[in-house]
Amino acid sequence: DTGVSQDPRHKITKRGQNVTFRCDPISEHNRLYWYRQTLGQGPEFLTYFQNEAQLEKSRLLSDRFSAERPKGSFSTLEIQRTEQGDSAMYLCANSLDRGNEQFFGPGTRLTVL
Amino acid sequence: AQSVTQLGSHVSVSEGALVLLRCNYSSSVPPYLFWYVQYPNQGLQLLLKYTSAATLVKGINGFEAEFKKSETSFHLTKPSAHMSDAAEYFCAVTWNNNAGNMLTFGGGTRLMVKP
């Protein structure tokens, strides 16, 4: 257990529905990352927060995706109008500072039918 | 473009045999390098990291890795495989000129351990 929690662990939804995932980081870890991992692949970076500021977004993060980190604590990732291609594991990670390791949560596995 | 490559998507060894998982990166600036392990339906757990200190890095569960700048490699080894080592292993890289320090991962290597 890394101390990073994600909710829900599994989500099954129908195409076109909206879904929201939550990440609760290790307290005092000011950097928070979201990654997406499809079956048989390594994780791919989606977006990064330093405290409450979203500082970088990948081109993978289409307009249907939005992430927030109010007050620099927990973070949410919302996907609107889900598509079957959104089916993946969504991982949240935290780190304390540059160069330090990132601690990963258990992930949320999304299945879009 | 900066990238990381893991040679061999699947590696099979016998219990007690040497484990060698390969990782090569491309970079024009000094890298920070990591190895993570992932068990089924779980997140990633850090095995070890290289951040410009000693080139031979020891990690958890008996794993170690050596940073070789001339070969742009960071291969993961373990002298004697155990059944519990069966998992997916990911090499990851970031760079010290990357303010966000987001990780770039290799495609992963699935390690299978035969009894």
Side-chain angles (χ1 to χ4, degrees), chain B:
Chain B
Q2 295 162 327
S3 64
V4 57
T5 302
Q6 292 182 240
L7 294 177
S9 58
H10 293 78
V11 170
S12 180
V13 300
S14 297
E15 191 173 19
L18 172 71
V19 176
L20 171 61
L21 305 182
R22 300 178 185 274
C23 173
N24 288 85
Y25 66 92
S26 64
S27 173
S28 57
V29 296
Y32 298 148
L33 294 153
F34 306 84
W35 275 99
Y36 283 88
V37 61
Q38 186 177 36
Y39 296 98
N41 297 314
Q42 294 187 27
L44 282 71
Q45 179 184 5
L46 181 72
L47 281 176
L48 49 81
K49 65 177 181 179
Y50 167 78
T51 55
S52 74
T55 57
L56 181 62
V57 181
K58 294 187 183 298
I60 63 171
N61 301 339
F63 284 95
E64 63 181 36
E66 186 173 9
F67 171 66
K68 292 187 176 180
K69 183 178 179 180
S70 61
E71 299 178 7
T72 62
S73 69
F74 190 58
H75 301 331
L76 181 71
T77 60
K78 181 173 180 177
S80 177
H82 191 272
M83 296 296 291
S84 62
D85 295 326
E88 187 95 22
Y89 292 80
F90 293 96
C91 180
V93 187
T94 189
W95 291 271
N96 66 5
N97 68 344
N98 176 351
N101 264 141
M102 59 283 297
L103 295 172
T104 297
F105 285 86
T109 298
R110 180 167 299 279
L111 175 66
M112 295 168 284
V113 182
K114 299 175 292 186

Side-chain angles (χ1 to χ4, degrees), chain A residues 1 6-7 10-11 13-14 18 20-22 24 31 40 42-44 57-59 66 72 76 90 92 94 97 100:
Chain A
D1 183 1
Q6 291 187 246
D7 184 71
H10 303 273
K11 178 70 176 179
T13 191
K14 293 182 179 180
N18 298 345
T20 300
F21 311 141
R22 177 179 170 122
D24 284 275
R31 293 171 175 246
E44 296 173 292
K57 294 191 287 187
S58 161
R59 286 175 295 175
S66 62
T76 59
Y90 290 84
C92 174
N94 309 149
D97 202 353
N100 284 337

Side-chain angles (χ1 to χ4, degrees), chain A residues 24-107:
Chain A
D24 284 275
I26 301 168
S27 60
E28 301 166 354
H29 279 214
N30 58 0
R31 293 171 175 246
L32 187 147
Y33 305 81
W34 285 98
Y35 293 84
R36 182 173 69 185
Q37 184 180 21
T38 53
L39 206 59
Q41 302 296 319
E44 296 173 292
F45 168 74
L46 291 179
T47 189
Y48 151 63
F49 290 84
Q50 184 157 342
N51 299 312
E52 67 276 9
Q54 187 174 18
L55 297 184
E56 191 141 352
K57 294 191 287 187
S58 161
R59 286 175 295 175
L60 293 175
L61 212 65
S62 75
D63 292 344
R64 296 184 296 106
F65 288 69
S66 62
E68 295 181 342
R69 193 183 183 195
K71 302 179 183 178
S73 56
F74 71 92
S75 176
T76 59
L77 178 67
E78 181 183 15
I79 309 174
Q80 296 182 327
R81 305 181 304 281
T82 53
E83 302 173 356
Q84 287 184 328
D86 297 331
S87 295
M89 174 82 89
Y90 290 84
L91 296 164
C92 174
N94 309 149
S95 72
L96 188 56
D97 202 353
R98 289 187 61 189
N100 284 337
E101 63 265 34
Q102 294 181 20
F103 296 90
F104 282 80

